[in-house]
Amino acid sequence: MGILEKIAEIEREISRTQKNKATEYHLGLLKAKLAKYRAQLLEPSKSAGAKGEGFDVMKSGDARVALIGFPSVGKSTFLSLMTSTESEAASYEFTTLTCIPGVIEYKGANIQLLDLPGIIEGAAQGKGRGRQVIAVARTADVVIMMLDATKGEVQRELLEKELESVGIRLNRCKPNIYFKPKKGGGLSFNSTLPLTYCSEKLVQLILHEYKIFNAEVLFREDCTPDEFIDVIVGNRVYMPCLYVYNKVDQISIEEVDRLARRPNSVVISCGMKLNLDYLLEQLWEYLALICLYTKKRGGNPLTVYSLTVLLTTCHRIHRTLASQFKYALVWVSL
């Protein structure tokens, strides 16, 4: 039985198992096995394949944004409208076959925008160059999920499922769990608050599935078994996602209002160039970029991430400055 068959069988077992106190340990083990098989599926093949055209592009600018969506939802048209790059757009599917980069110049920042080929259901298993598309998406700072407003919520659910299965967590924070494997001493389990989803026994069973018998575990928040598995695996990517509904000129005003009120969502029309300015404002907020002006008169501003201002600034000036850095004086203008 191959890995895909094992994954499908575990998913069927999870779907037909009722969730209650009696089955929580069984479900926890199934989820741990499912995460292991999915990790094996994403490992690069050992056999050397034929050489082809490169897919990823060099990261440049102040931030990277990846456009993800099904074929023919308007990604190439959006890239052409927002940047000076012309991406081929047509009425048939799979117009874009490789990664096409463009640059958005906004508030003094250069934001790299990547037009990725449309992905299909089963992309996480490699269908339709899905693995390559998702691998590029993991390197982005923000994901723009381009959706067809005329297709309802089906596309959004399928794309979220594909990204979830390869370890991309959208609009979520990293679980506040301290986990450290040890060479001996067994399991040391503690929590700073009452837990409703995990127990010491369940944590121990999940760790045994990963052949971990000695570790320190401290829950600082009430996390689920899935979140604890993410901490064990350690290769999960947590990034903000902006859901962009295109072609809103083809639906009713009531439906437009409903989609616009959804969390992390923006409605646009590339064909009629509607609401693109608001989308840029939202993208700037999601990137959390700020302009930093050096004290030297006439110096050019640096655009850096607000959460790691000093470290990012050092890297922007010179790669060796961070190791020699001692202190800085910062003035904030509000």
Side-chain angles (χ1 to χ4, degrees), residues 206-244:
I206 293 174
L207 289 174
H208 286 183
E209 182 63 31
Y210 285 90
K211 303 295 188 291
I212 299 175
F213 303 98
N214 306 286
E216 292 182 19
V217 179
L218 173 63
F219 279 71
R220 297 192 180 98
E221 63 179 350
D222 193 11
C223 296
T224 63
D226 291 319
E227 292 173 324
F228 179 61
I229 292 171
D230 288 346
V231 173
I232 296 174
V233 176
N235 63 350
R236 304 310 191 213
V237 178
Y238 300 85
M239 64 175 62
C241 175
L242 197 56
Y243 301 96
V244 178

Side-chain angles (χ1 to χ4, degrees), residues 137-156:
R138 289 176 66 95
T139 66
D141 301 303
V142 170
V143 168
I144 291 182
M145 189 179 292
M146 189 71 72
L147 305 166
D148 190 337
T150 63
K151 300 291 181 64
E153 301 298 324
V154 179
Q155 289 187 343
R156 177 170 174 168

Side-chain angles (χ1 to χ4, degrees), residues 41-309:
L41 192 65
L42 294 175
E43 292 177 356
S45 176
K46 295 182 180 179
S47 59
K51 293 185 178 179
E53 182 182 0
F55 193 84
D56 196 5
V57 295
M58 182 179 296
K59 191 171 184 177
S60 64
D62 303 302
R64 169 179 278 195
V65 178
L67 274 173
I68 288 184
F70 281 95
S72 297
V73 294
K75 299 187 300 297
S76 298
T77 305
F78 179 76
L79 179 75
S80 300
L81 288 174
M82 306 303 290
T83 71
S84 59
T85 303
E86 290 294 329
S87 182
E88 183 181 358
S91 58
Y92 53 86
E93 295 185 348
F94 298 105
T95 311
T96 304
L97 299 177
T98 187
C99 179
I100 300 177
V103 177
I104 301 175
E105 296 180 359
Y106 187 70
K107 293 186 178 180
N110 293 325
I111 303 171
Q112 187 182 47
L113 183 64
L114 302 181
D115 178 17
L116 300 175
I119 63 177
I120 59 177
E121 188 175 1
Q125 283 76 41
K127 295 182 180 179
R129 303 192 76 177
R131 289 188 192 177
Q132 293 169 297
V133 172
I134 292 173
V136 175
R138 289 176 66 95
T139 66
D141 301 303
V142 170
V143 168
I144 291 182
M145 189 179 292
M146 189 71 72
L147 305 166
D148 190 337
T150 63
K151 300 291 181 64
E153 301 298 324
V154 179
Q155 289 187 343
R156 177 170 174 168
E157 294 172 358
L158 289 174
L159 287 173
E160 287 178 336
K161 181 180 178 182
E162 293 294 332
L163 297 178
E164 181 84 12
S165 64
V166 295
I168 298 179
R169 305 292 182 253
L170 302 177
N171 297 324
R172 287 161 53 183
C173 297
K174 187 176 181 180
N176 194 359
I177 301 175
Y178 173 77
F179 170 71
K180 183 180 179 181
K182 301 187 300 183
K183 294 183 178 180
L187 174 64
S188 175
F189 177 84
N190 289 289
S191 63
T192 59
L193 73 171
L195 301 179
T196 58
Y197 301 105
C198 290
S199 63
E200 183 174 359
K201 181 180 178 182
L202 178 57
V203 168
Q204 190 173 30
L205 289 173
I206 293 174
L207 289 174
H208 286 183
E209 182 63 31
Y210 285 90
K211 303 295 188 291
I212 299 175
F213 303 98
N214 306 286
E216 292 182 19
V217 179
L218 173 63
F219 279 71
R220 297 192 180 98
E221 63 179 350
D222 193 11
C223 296
T224 63
D226 291 319
E227 292 173 324
F228 179 61
I229 292 171
D230 288 346
V231 173
I232 296 174
V233 176
N235 63 350
R236 304 310 191 213
V237 178
Y238 300 85
M239 64 175 62
C241 175
L242 197 56
Y243 301 96
V244 178
Y245 291 89
N246 189 25
K247 306 179 184 179
V248 294
D249 54 301
Q250 302 178 21
I251 61 176
S252 64
I253 190 64
E254 291 80 12
E255 182 67 10
V256 173
D257 183 68
R258 187 187 70 84
L259 293 176
R261 294 179 183 276
R262 296 206 61 183
N264 311 306
S265 300
V266 177
V267 293
I268 66 168
S269 173
C270 290
M272 299 185 69
K273 300 180 181 180
L274 297 175
N275 213 29
L276 297 179
D277 292 339
Y278 178 70
L279 173 56
L280 269 181
E281 294 176 6
Q282 289 295 105
L283 181 60
W284 179 264
E285 291 184 9
Y286 274 64
L287 286 170
L289 292 172
I290 62 172
C291 286
L292 181 67
Y293 294 86
T294 55
K295 198 171 187 298
K296 182 180 178 181
R297 182 173 298 177
N300 295 324
L302 300 174
T303 308
V304 299
Y305 286 99
S306 60
L307 296 180
T308 55
V309 174

